[in-house]
Amino acid sequence: MANKSLNKDRRAVINDIRKKQGRAERVRGAAIVGVCVAIALVIVGAAAWGPITGFFKDREYNDVALQDIGKSPKAAGCQKVTEMAADGNQNHIATGTQQTYTTAPPAFGPHWNEANVAPADMSRKFYTAADRPELEALVHNLEHGYTIVWYDETVSKDEQDLLYAIGKKFSGTSNFRYKFIAAPWTAADAKETAVAGDKKTEFPSGTHIALTHWYADPANPTEASTQKGAFQYCADVSGEAIKDFMQKFPYTASPEAQAM
């Protein structure tokens, strides 16, 4: 009888230990699941937070006038507008063929002319290096009266945000006065520019933003002798400089103003 009682007590102890071990394992399992869920939420939250913060940052400029975004032309180190004789009107080259331009960035010249490739869609106002159309496509936009604001690879994310906010001031495709694009100028682009046989790979010293427009006399837009490229270089982003430039060189003063 004593042995039976001892065995019974031993089994009870073993069962109790097993129950405790089972509870401990379930607690550990729940803790591991909890940690995994927490990590997943952090990852998802981090992924979502970028667009959300970008959205709210963009909204900061909804009620800010164009000329008040960024710095004043003087504070932004904007140089005087320069002009030079233009060529390339209606000079269409085969899509995919690279063109050597004479300025960095280009304001005129031979360009591509293929549906869905060139010119770039008016609905896009801001590009990054990852999705920007080729130079030869954007030059066709210039021929149609666009102002293109180029930014080099040293421009900060905050300044790109300013350009994105400026681009939103020109949203839509129905108002041709809103022919505006902000696009990057990259090291690869420099290989497509040359001046007097020398490679011109950068904007003028100290500048990182360039405004360009392909000008033509609105009264006689196909007259080659009146066409010229307009340029303005700045160290920083200036909404006021962009506004002034676009007023001085409106879309109507271009070789093909009525084309989208």
Side-chain angles (χ1 to χ4, degrees), residues 144-175:
H144 286 189
Y146 284 71
T147 289
I148 299 183
V149 177
W150 311 79
Y151 60 94
D152 72 13
E153 294 176 313
T154 70
V155 167
S156 69
K157 179 61 170 61
D158 286 342
E159 288 181 302
Q160 291 183 44
D161 288 341
L162 292 177
L163 289 173
Y164 181 82
I166 288 171
K168 286 197 68 177
K169 299 296 182 183
F170 302 101
S171 296
T173 60
S174 60
N175 189 340

Side-chain angles (χ1 to χ4, degrees), residues 93-165:
I93 58 177
T95 300
T97 302
Q98 287 192 333
Q99 171 68 28
T100 298
Y101 292 105
T102 58
T103 60
F108 53 84
H111 47 275
W112 295 349
N113 180 38
E114 182 177 329
N116 301 319
V117 175
D121 193 332
M122 187 180 170
S123 64
R124 285 292 301 273
K125 309 297 181 177
F126 178 88
Y127 290 96
T128 67
D131 61 9
R132 194 210 72 188
E134 296 292 335
L135 290 181
E136 294 80 4
L138 291 175
V139 171
H140 199 160
N141 287 81
L142 289 164
E143 186 183 44
H144 286 189
Y146 284 71
T147 289
I148 299 183
V149 177
W150 311 79
Y151 60 94
D152 72 13
E153 294 176 313
T154 70
V155 167
S156 69
K157 179 61 170 61
D158 286 342
E159 288 181 302
Q160 291 183 44
D161 288 341
L162 292 177
L163 289 173
Y164 181 82

Side-chain angles (χ1 to χ4, degrees), residues 170-258:
F170 302 101
S171 296
T173 60
S174 60
N175 189 340
F176 280 13
R177 290 181 300 170
Y178 291 177
K179 287 184 174 182
F180 171 93
I181 288 175
W185 175 257
T186 69
D189 298 325
K191 296 178 181 179
E192 294 187 55
T193 64
V195 177
D198 296 324
K199 292 295 181 183
K200 184 178 182 181
T201 61
E202 300 174 352
F203 297 169
S205 178
T207 66
H208 309 283
I209 305 290
L211 288 59
T212 59
H213 182 86
W214 188 339
Y215 172 86
D217 182 359
N220 192 7
T222 60
E223 175 54 48
S225 64
T226 66
Q227 294 186 13
K228 56 190 177 184
F231 306 82
Q232 186 173 27
Y233 296 92
C234 301
D236 301 306
V237 175
S238 171
E240 183 179 352
I242 292 171
K243 180 179 180 179
D244 292 345
F245 187 87
M246 292 183 71
Q247 287 179 338
K248 183 173 183 178
F249 303 104
Y251 84 93
T252 52
S254 63
E256 298 180 25
Q258 299 307 316

